[in-house]
Amino acid sequence: NANALTSEQIAAILPHRYPFALVDRILDYEPGQWAIGRKCVSRNEEFFCGHFPGQPVMPGVLIIESMAQACAVLALARLTEEQRNDGSLYFFAGIDNARFKKVVQPGDQLRIHCHFLKDRAGIGKFEATAMVDDQVACVATMMCARRKMD
């Protein structure tokens, strides 16, 4: 797919690094409109050591973070090259209506669907859904703020 992004291409866009890079691929996207990302959930991920021993479950906050990172890729795709390189970062600014519907475990693949809703005063608003197979794991409305770093 011409609009797919590899993990290396995502790393060139997002500042997140191991162990906090939580989007493995962008499978497809329409710049500035929507994106579909993938997070492969592996038993080797550090958080499974304590969440929970013998019953590994991906923490909801990390599902939300993977959704936020997919939205950030979409947000950055809306910018010009000059804007992308001006020293700004996207910060998580808010979340509404987050609901968890399915436990996520090792071996699952999160398929993250995100849609751009609007931008006002540098705050982007997105609808995001994380799916495992054909079941919704999490849904949320997310906001991110683009802020210049000093």
Side-chain angles (χ1 to χ4, degrees), residues 2-53:
N3 283 339
L5 298 174
T6 66
S7 58
E8 291 81 15
Q9 291 168 312
I10 293 167
I13 296 169
L14 294 182
H16 305 81
R17 296 296 179 262
Y18 175 85
F20 220 69
L22 297 175
V23 176
D24 296 318
R25 287 204 188 278
I26 296 296
L27 302 172
D28 197 6
Y29 70 97
E30 178 69 36
Q33 299 301 312
W34 57 268
I36 301 170
R38 181 173 63 203
K39 162 68 179 147
C40 297
V41 182
S42 166
R43 179 171 291 283
N44 297 329
E45 301 198 56
E46 294 177 22
F47 53 80
F48 285 132
C49 293
H51 200 271
F52 300 99

Side-chain angles (χ1 to χ4, degrees), residues 43 73 79 94:
R43 179 171 291 283
V73 171
L79 303 178

Side-chain angles (χ1 to χ4, degrees), residues 45-123:
E45 301 198 56
E46 294 177 22
F47 53 80
F48 285 132
C49 293
H51 200 271
F52 300 99
Q55 190 82 24
V57 174
M58 185 174 185
V61 68
L62 295 180
I63 297 169
I64 293 288
E65 177 63 26
S66 66
M67 294 162 66
Q69 288 182 23
C71 289
V73 171
L74 179 56
L76 287 161
R78 299 182 72 242
L79 303 178
T80 66
E81 189 70 27
E82 182 181 338
Q83 289 172 316
R84 261 186 245 131
N85 294 316
D86 73 354
S88 294
L89 288 175
Y90 272 96
F91 292 96
F92 201 5
I95 186 165
D96 291 326
N97 305 315
R99 296 291 180 265
F100 298 93
K101 311 264 186 188
K102 179 179 177 10
V103 170
V104 177
Q105 299 179 296
D108 287 343
Q109 283 190 8
L110 280 179
R111 190 174 176 99
I112 304 158
H113 299 256
C114 47
H115 298 272
F116 172 74
L117 297 175
K118 66 181 178 180
D119 185 284
R120 185 175 296 141
I123 308 280

